[in-house]
Amino acid sequence: MTARTQFDADIDTALADAPLQRALADVPAGFVAGRRRAREELLEFEPLRRVARDIRDHALAHLDLYLEAFESNATKAGSRVHWAASGDDACRIVLDICRAAGARTITKSKSMVSEEIELRERLQDAEFDVVETDLGEYLVQIRNEKPSHIIAPAIHMRAEDVADVFRRQHGHLAPDRKLDTPEEMIAEARGILRDKFLSADVGITGANFLVAESGSAIIVTNEGNADLTMSLPKVHVILTSIDKVVPTFSDAWPLLRLLARSATGQAFTAYTTIVTGPRRPDDPDGPEQCHIILLDNGRTELLASEMRPVLRCIRCGACMNHCPVYCSIGGHAYNSVYPGPIGAALSPALAGAEQAAHLAEASTFCGRCEQVCPVEIPLVSVMRQWRSLALEQPRSRRARVMLHTWARLAQHPRIYRWCAGIAARSLKWLAGSGARIRRLPFLHAWTDYRDLAAPQGGTFQQQWAQREHKRAQRDRADVSAARARKSDSVP
Amino acid sequence: MLYANQCHPVISMTEVYARRPRVGLFVTCLVDLMRPSVGFAAVRLLEAAGCEVVVPEEQTCCGQPAYNGGDNANARKIALQTMRAFDGLDYVVAPSGSCAAMLKVHYPRLLADDAQHASAARAFAERVHELCAFLIDVCGLEQVPGSFAGRVTYHDGCSGLRELKVREQPRRLLAAVPGLELCEMSDTDACCGFGGLFAVKFPAISNAMVTKKCANAASVKPDLLLSGEMGCLLNVAGKLSRQGADIQCRHIAEVLAGEMTAPAIAYSSDGERR
């Protein structure tokens, strides 16, 4: 099965999944309304987007410089910086760190980069006890699923699903244990996670931003789980990617001001933590080692391409919250670590065009994603570029021939007009005496779901030409009549 | 009131007053093929606004199917052909935000690296307008020929709304129609699911989107759903027709121009769905 046919099958599954559809129906009232409120309350929201875009563009234009500065300052602060060209490299580095630490239990906070390289699965294969500490990620983990949203991994689940998976997976639960309210469910998860936090040997987090001037990582959460993940174990691993670096703290603030507002509508996340190296001698707590893994995984190539603006992304998820396609099929159908518009723009670069270029087809180019993107990524243009690259592939031969034939036709106005006339007449004939066509012999994808209105018959160009012809005749008649009158009056 | 896309007329206003501006109507494929009455309604509105209308024969499609399909080379050729077809006219007006955006926003992008044509594309773009935006921003039209007694809801086409910022202009024109009551549906800025080939490439998603749009429209109980976009209208009217819903769909130009003799989209002349 090709990636595209798999996609079609997953779309049908998602559209028929009633609980998923009910969960997706809440997105507009939650994230979309939240962002709208936050934007209305912050007068400088729109100008701030342009500032944020420029900060990201500057950092990307001088990425080599800032990454080197970051490495040097992070090293000075006592962190160890590792460079990983591929996901495999990054996984190997993490495995080595965990083995060297003699680890058994590993806690992990939410990190899309770790999803990208399937780190949890790799660690579990190596017999480590890995637990996700973000509630949504934890639910996804115990349901053996993938996240369906980049900031709300369990957005596809409803409260009943949570209670249900706790009863199935938590063997210690008494049958009469109440799991009816969010508080009761959170208490159950907290009980499990607290033990893991205290027994963990290695804690793995992501990073929202890296600050070159100090070698710091900025990590935001709403649950505080990243703070326990990073400060309780002896070893802290920050797994992130090379595009996250900004020059200074002053550059990070505008991005942070936009991040939560764009994502959930909060002015700020509940926890914003700046980590600069491991525990220092007079610190009351903190890890003994701090490792920072900088993943490339296709980003350098993207940086060198016309699609560089994709790397501005600060992973707020606003594009998917506002995407009518995402809100119809949810995240899983994309079968891609990053779903929604940013997934369609980014995934082909990370996972390969063969795997993900078809995602760019699944857009009406309505442009709502671009309108809400806090760093103004031209998502539609990028998707259009992926379509363009896909069209050149041998597998797109049929699409290419059809497009070229049509384009040739469009470059011959006389033949185009003639064809339009035939098309109008044929469709009119198909409609018979009715005003709509209920089933087209071709393009039945249209009439499977909706009628096609019958054309009025005769093209505008034909009718206009007739009107102009009549008008010209009338004018000529008027002129000759006037001439006739004139010659009559001349003796 | 100022609009982000307020035009910069190529000819000065004194000249406009001195002679009727010559407007080239970019008919658009769907109006040409499916609903010529929209083209005539547009002509009537432009004439009511004091323009002389010409319809260049050498126009075909704006090139969007090629451009959005990833075929920039052909899109460029079609762009140059369209620019030639409308050469020498004061304005180019399209009864579609999506085609107008192609001419106004994307031609200059497509030809940006073409030393020979880049500046011509930019100058051409300055002259291009979506119909409602042109009537309000350039012509300052305050009275329209049409009238309609009933409830109307308006669907914003995405390209017009987001690429050309056409939002207030159609509403101001509708406010000028005697008897018309505009009832806004929720999520007016949400896509209807047409998206050109998207509707046939991903018919099930498109269906989910248009179903939501129809439900939003139905909830304000309009007699008539209007839009400035034939693609959206074929999609929404086709879905309403399949649902047997009692909402008629028309292009906004038909109501503004009072050209309502043609039956509504997917309706028979006796006002039935057949």
Side-chain angles (χ1 to χ4, degrees), chain A residues 180-403:
Chain A
D180 298 331
T181 63
E183 290 73 22
E184 285 163 352
M185 290 186 257
I186 289 168
E188 171 56 23
R190 184 174 284 146
I192 300 270
L193 293 176
R194 184 147 295 168
D195 287 346
K196 296 289 182 187
F197 280 130
L198 293 169
S199 63
D201 307 299
V202 174
I204 302 173
T205 69
N208 295 86
F209 302 106
L210 301 172
V211 182
E213 69 172 337
S214 62
S216 309
I218 301 178
I219 301 161
V220 306
T221 70
N222 272 324
E223 297 169 19
N225 60 308
D227 301 85
L228 294 173
T229 302
M230 73 178 88
S231 52
L232 294 178
K234 283 189 197 157
V235 179
H236 177 203
V237 176
I238 300 172
L239 172 66
T240 188
S241 52
I242 54 169
D243 50 315
K244 298 280 164 65
V245 71
V246 290
T248 66
F249 281 110
S250 312
D251 297 306
W253 307 147
L255 301 174
L256 283 167
R257 292 182 76 200
L258 283 170
L259 177 57
R261 285 185 168 92
S262 301
T264 57
Q266 294 165 285
F268 234 61
T269 40
Y271 298 87
T272 300
T273 305
I274 299 168
V275 193
T276 315
R279 177 183 188 168
R280 285 159 298 196
D282 47 352
D283 283 347
D285 53 23
E288 289 166 15
Q289 298 172 29
C290 179
H291 297 269
I292 304 169
I293 301 167
L294 298 172
L295 177 73
D296 184 323
N297 198 28
R299 287 168 175 80
T300 311
E301 246 177 273
L302 202 54
L303 186 73
S305 78
E306 278 181 68
M307 295 187 247
R308 175 189 287 184
V310 176
L311 292 173
R312 288 180 198 155
C313 179
I314 59 171
R315 307 286 190 268
C316 68
C319 61
M320 54 199 77
N321 297 337
H322 290 78
C323 175
V325 174
Y326 177 91
C327 288
S328 296
I329 61 173
H332 285 152
Y334 286 81
N335 205 4
S336 145
V337 175
Y338 303 93
I342 187 61
L346 180 63
S347 294
L350 305 183
E354 289 280 319
Q355 282 306 307
H358 63 279
L359 297 178
E361 301 285 334
S363 170
T364 61
F365 284 177
C366 81
R368 215 175 173 198
C369 49
E370 289 186 357
Q371 198 182 21
V372 297
C373 176
V375 284
E376 300 194 332
I377 301 172
L379 288 154
V380 171
S381 304
V382 175
M383 285 189 263
R384 200 180 275 119
Q385 286 180 54
W386 283 119
R387 288 187 185 182
S388 193
L389 291 173
L391 193 71
E392 289 163 17
Q393 297 301 310
R395 66 177 182 279
S396 307
R397 194 172 167 274
R398 194 164 152 257
R400 206 163 48 233
V401 168
M402 282 169 67
L403 207 51

Side-chain angles (χ1 to χ4, degrees), chain A residues 4 7-8 11-12 15 21 28 36 324-325 327-329 358 361-369 371 380-381 384 387-389 391-392 400 403-404 406-414 416-417 419-421 423-425 427 433-439 443 445-465 467-468 471, chain B residues 25 27 29 31-40 43 47 53-61 63-72 74 77-78 81 106 109 158-159 162-163 187 189-191 193-210 212 231 234-235 237-239 241-242 244 254 262-263 265-268 272-274:
Chain A
R4 173 63 212 267
F7 188 34
D8 283 334
I11 288 168
D12 290 341
L15 288 168
Q21 291 299 322
R36 190 186 306 129
V325 174
C327 288
S328 296
I329 61 173
H358 63 279
E361 301 285 334
S363 170
T364 61
F365 284 177
C366 81
R368 215 175 173 198
C369 49
Q371 198 182 21
V380 171
S381 304
R384 200 180 275 119
R387 288 187 185 182
S388 193
L389 291 173
L391 193 71
E392 289 163 17
R400 206 163 48 233
L403 207 51
H404 285 189
W406 171 85
R408 285 287 289 277
L409 203 60
Q411 286 161 58
H412 293 86
R414 190 189 285 258
Y416 195 83
R417 280 200 301 278
C419 290
R425 276 200 300 280
L427 287 173
S433 62
R436 56 181 171 175
I437 300 164
R438 299 193 56 95
R439 176 137 194 97
L443 276 187
W446 181 278
T447 46
D448 280 349
Y449 296 99
R450 39 182 134 38
D451 296 337
L452 180 68
Q456 291 173 328
T459 65
F460 176 83
Q461 291 271 24
Q462 287 166 343
Q463 295 180 30
W464 180 260
R467 194 179 112 158
E468 289 297 281
R471 189 187 274 177
Chain B
L25 181 70
V27 182
C29 300
V31 166
D32 187 45
L33 176 68
M34 305 298 289
R35 211 162 165 80
S37 60
V38 174
F40 288 105
V43 171
E47 286 176 348
V53 182
V54 283
V55 182
E57 264 202 330
E58 297 301 294
Q59 62 177 305
T60 59
C61 169
Q64 247 185 113
Y67 183 54
N68 285 342
D71 183 357
N72 287 348
N74 273 313
K77 287 184 199 161
I78 296 172
Q81 169 182 289
H106 297 288
R109 286 188 192 168
C158 293
S159 304
R162 278 180 272 267
E163 295 186 304
D187 295 329
D189 68 335
C191 176
F194 176 65
L197 287 176
F198 175 86
V200 287
K201 279 187 177 170
F202 294 92
I205 304 177
S206 172
N207 178 50
M209 288 162 68
V210 73
K212 275 180 214 162
L234 286 176
N235 186 32
K239 188 66 199 177
S241 165
R242 181 63 58 92
E254 299 175 59
I265 302 166
Y267 267 88
S268 299
E272 295 293 319
R273 287 205 183 277
R274 256 204 303 275

Side-chain angles (χ1 to χ4, degrees), chain B residues 1 27 30 42 59 69 87 96 126 142 170 237 258 270:
Chain B
M1 193 168 179
V27 182
L30 289 177
Q59 62 177 305
D87 199 26
S96 153
E126 293 259 304
E142 279 169 8
D270 54 3

Side-chain angles (χ1 to χ4, degrees), chain A residues 84-95 116-117 122 295 297:
Chain A
S86 69
D88 263 351
D89 293 346
C91 286
R92 214 172 306 123
I93 294 166
V94 178
L95 281 166
E116 192 180 314
I117 66 174
R122 287 285 292 272
L295 177 73
N297 198 28

